[in-house]
Amino acid sequence: MFKCNLLIVEDNVDLCETLADIFRKNDFNVQTAFRTDDAREILRRDLIDLVILDLKLPDGSGLKVLDTVKDVDSDILVIMITANTHVEPAVEAMKSGAYDYIMKPFELDEVKLVVQKALETQILKREVARLKRQHESMFPKTDMFSVNKKMEEVKRMIKIVAETPRTSLLIEGESGTGKELVADALHQWSIRSSGPFIKVNCAAIPENLLESELFGHEKGAFTGADAMKKGLFEMANNGTIFLDEISSMDLALQPKILRVLETQSFRRIGGTSDIKLDVRIIAASNRNLQEMVNNGEFRDDLLYRLKVIVIKLPPLRERIDDIIFLANIFIESNNREFNKSIKGLTDDAKELLLNYRWPGNVRELKNVMERAVILCNTAYIGADLLPSELNADAGDTVSSGVNGVSPLANGHFGSLAEIEKLHIEYMLDQCSGNKSKTARELGISRSTLREKMKLYDIDG
Ligand SMILES: Nc1ncnc2c1ncn2[C@@H]1O[C@H](COP(=O)(O)OP(=O)(O)OP(=O)(O)O)[C@@H](O)[C@H]1O
Ligand SMILES: [Mg+2]
């Protein structure tokens, strides 16, 4: 897939050459150094992906080289080599960012295995970073991440609505699916983004106060109204108002909202004239409003007016391909927040996450990952750090029909060869089978691509 630039820093010349030989045979670009000074020079001069680093070198500790790695590019993975009498400094090295350590004497296969795991981690990290970059260039200023097809559709829809300045929007979805993020994105992506964005949680404001909160009141409108007060609609002028949990709104207040939607004007309580308004109304509900209409709990005319454009957010269990992707994103953000360097999830943990029903959707996943990161003292989050509810669901099978998503984005782990095969298939698919384009995208020649396709038995 990519030719790995490996630096081996080991003062035992025989060992160094043996390792170099093995990795050269496995298609790595290998450089060697016997001293910290040389290693640091190479790191500064060349783009290194991976370092195998002896802890004890003639001119000082390997930790000095680790410091240089952090200065140059903290994404470079470092595997420490240490004598079995020197485990403690190796553990220290891992705390300061080394990926793993191997104890001398070791089997060569062991080194190969650790290197292979390290590369898989790095490929995954790069893929996540690439998808994030791609996402950010397409959809700036949002925390809504996804690799799921349906969610891509959601984002495309938000973009379309964002370009019309007044169209209202109804967002439906279970709790924790990201309704508020959709509202945020719609405001941010529209020309109204320089205007105010007012969020009103209709369930959190007592019924008798909601009307005056929304519409304001004139002086003397009712007992206690000793001054004119502007309402939230007025404050949202030239911007967006988000009526969250609109299902909680009193039936008596609903026609007044309908009127604002229809006339883009409103009247303060106790006021005698209409005030013109220029505002986009976004409403959200985690209850099914149509059912509420059928039960007489919500007005049909308001629903039909709101329903012109509806975005339905799929629950997390219907976007399986997002689960590991989002879990990795949350691990990354929690690593930053709690100053940790957790590398990912064990296969067991992934399986539990994938088999759980996620009634609390992305919010629940976010909380589960925060807790796990806080509790985790190892490099990978294991199944034991996940809440017991997840274990209760184990055994249920959920199909992971992932279409058009790189296996890497799905947190797939396997041998390097397996990942390479899957990635080639994915890129071929992305490039509609065009081999020249695929080879270009993969950074390899057409003939190399042909060889690899033959090797992995890929049709095309
Ligand atoms: N696609 C996503 N990417 C990253 N974070 C997300 C995503 N979707 C939701 N979240 C996070 O999950 C949490 C819940 O999202 P949000 O508040 O938008 O859900 P909601 O649908 O409004 O839920 P509720 O119905 O309970 O109000 C937030 O912390 C949000 O940042
Ligand atoms: Mg919400």
Side-chain angles (χ1 to χ4, degrees):
M1 194 173 327
F2 77 104
K3 206 163 162 123
C4 173
N5 290 322
L6 171 67
L7 170 63
I8 303 174
V9 192
E10 166 63 69
D11 60 326
N12 177 331
V13 181
D14 285 345
L15 179 59
C16 193
E17 281 313 315
T18 312
L19 288 171
D21 266 0
I22 290 180
F23 286 106
R24 279 191 190 113
K25 280 196 192 110
N26 279 277
D27 218 21
F28 285 61
N29 286 325
V30 183
Q31 298 196 61
T32 53
F34 307 130
R35 305 165 52 86
T36 62
D37 286 352
D38 303 338
R40 295 163 88 182
E41 196 190 315
I42 294 173
L43 280 165
R44 292 216 164 82
R45 190 186 59 211
D46 296 328
L47 292 173
I48 298 294
D49 300 298
L50 188 70
V51 183
I52 297 180
L53 175 62
D54 190 5
L55 198 56
K56 223 164 146 241
L57 293 161
D59 60 336
S61 161
L63 293 176
K64 279 204 272 180
V65 180
L66 192 58
D67 283 342
T68 309
V69 165
K70 277 195 271 176
D71 285 350
V72 175
D73 175 2
S74 55
D75 283 344
I76 300 173
L77 296 179
V78 180
I79 297 167
M80 307 294 299
I81 301 181
T82 177
N84 59 7
T85 45
H86 282 90
V87 178
E88 261 170 40
V91 173
E92 274 313 303
M94 283 194 62
K95 282 191 190 146
S96 36
Y99 172 80
D100 206 347
Y101 68 90
I102 305 169
M103 274 188 301
K104 279 184 199 171
F106 50 76
E107 299 287 329
L108 291 174
D109 276 349
E110 192 188 338
V111 185
K112 270 165 71 178
L113 210 67
V114 175
V115 166
Q116 181 182 320
K117 267 275 172 214
L119 282 181
E120 283 167 11
T121 306
Q122 192 160 49
I123 291 166
L124 182 70
K125 269 173 90 171
R126 285 183 180 170
E127 184 63 7
V128 169
R130 187 187 68 76
L131 286 167
K132 271 180 83 171
R133 266 200 312 279
Q134 187 186 11
H135 166 97
E136 274 157 20
S137 63
M138 280 161 71
F139 305 106
K141 295 194 224 153
T142 171
D143 294 329
M144 189 169 41
F145 296 104
S146 176
V147 287
N148 177 268
K149 275 255 164 83
K150 282 189 199 158
M151 289 299 289
E152 284 301 313
E153 207 39 61
V154 164
K155 280 184 262 177
R156 239 186 306 281
M157 189 72 153
I158 302 172
K159 275 243 137 146
I160 294 169
V161 180
E163 275 158 26
T164 68
R166 288 225 181 102
T167 311
S168 53
L169 175 72
L170 173 62
I171 312 163
E172 288 189 327
E174 290 179 15
S175 180
T177 45
K179 296 185 291 298
E180 188 161 341
L181 287 183
V182 171
D184 283 340
L186 178 56
H187 178 73
Q188 291 303 338
W189 298 348
S190 77
I191 48 158
R192 294 181 176 275
S193 62
S194 55
F197 181 39
I198 305 278
K199 298 183 185 184
V200 190
N201 185 338
C202 303
I205 303 174
E207 258 173 39
N208 56 337
L209 288 185
L210 187 57
E211 182 174 0
S212 78
E213 282 296 314
L214 287 174
F215 296 99
H217 57 72
E218 297 293 351
K219 185 175 173 181
F222 46 81
T223 334
D226 39 17
M228 186 277 273
K229 190 184 148 215
K230 286 187 177 181
L232 295 170
F233 272 115
E234 214 170 329
M235 290 197 230
N237 197 26
N238 295 319
T240 309
I241 190 163
F242 176 40
L243 302 175
D244 201 1
E245 306 207 29
I246 197 165
S247 52
S248 317
M249 189 181 282
D250 196 14
L251 275 168
L253 186 54
Q254 292 179 15
K256 297 187 179 164
I257 305 294
L258 179 63
R259 198 163 158 268
V260 181
L261 276 161
E262 282 179 339
T263 63
Q264 285 276 318
S265 68
F266 76 103
R267 198 175 277 198
R268 295 191 194 115
I269 300 177
T272 49
S273 57
D274 286 350
I275 300 171
K276 270 276 164 214
L277 195 65
D278 174 18
V279 69
R280 189 205 299 273
I281 299 179
I282 307 177
S285 167
N286 54 25
R287 292 186 59 190
N288 184 322
L289 291 177
Q290 186 59 57
E291 265 173 31
M292 291 183 69
V293 165
N294 298 346
N295 297 334
E297 295 166 316
F298 200 83
R299 283 186 65 118
D300 55 355
D301 47 4
L302 178 57
L303 176 60
Y304 298 136
R305 184 62 189 72
L306 283 173
K307 250 174 72 168
V308 177
I309 304 223
V310 184
I311 284 185
K312 256 190 160 35
L313 288 179
L316 189 56
R317 65 184 163 280
E318 284 174 21
R319 36 178 160 131
I320 304 288
D321 44 350
D322 266 350
I323 296 178
I324 303 298
F325 175 71
L326 286 173
N328 281 324
I329 286 192
F330 295 142
I331 291 175
E332 214 179 272
S333 55
N334 284 310
N335 270 343
R336 273 199 303 277
E337 167 113 16
F338 300 111
N339 205 10
K340 295 212 166 186
S341 49
I342 291 159
K343 299 182 177 81
L345 296 149
T346 64
D347 289 346
D348 287 352
K350 278 186 206 163
E351 201 175 316
L352 282 188
L353 294 182
L354 287 169
N355 284 323
Y356 182 54
R357 289 185 53 74
W358 298 109
N361 294 294
V362 185
R363 180 182 292 112
E364 189 179 7
L365 175 62
K366 194 173 176 178
N367 293 341
V368 164
M369 293 326 295
E370 179 176 330
R371 173 180 180 272
V373 167
I374 292 172
L375 296 179
C376 186
N377 288 323
T378 46
Y380 288 88
I381 293 170
D384 55 323
L385 295 182
L386 301 176
S388 52
E389 307 88 270
L390 272 70
N391 282 289
D393 267 11
D396 291 6
T397 46
V398 182
S399 81
S400 50
V402 181
N403 269 331
V405 174
S406 161
L408 298 169
N410 198 27
H412 181 94
F413 277 100
S415 69
L416 198 50
E418 194 186 342
I419 297 232
E420 190 173 58
K421 174 173 190 260
L422 286 168
H423 193 61
I424 291 174
E425 284 174 337
Y426 168 70
M427 288 309 291
L428 274 166
D429 194 39
Q430 290 293 298
C431 302
S432 312
N434 181 329
K435 292 197 200 70
S436 307
K437 196 166 168 216
T438 306
R440 218 172 23 250
E441 289 289 332
L442 291 170
I444 56 179
S445 67
R446 259 190 73 107
S447 58
T448 310
L449 176 64
R450 217 177 309 118
E451 277 163 29
K452 285 187 188 288
M453 285 173 68
K454 213 165 134 200
L455 175 70
Y456 295 130
D457 208 13
I458 300 172
D459 292 333

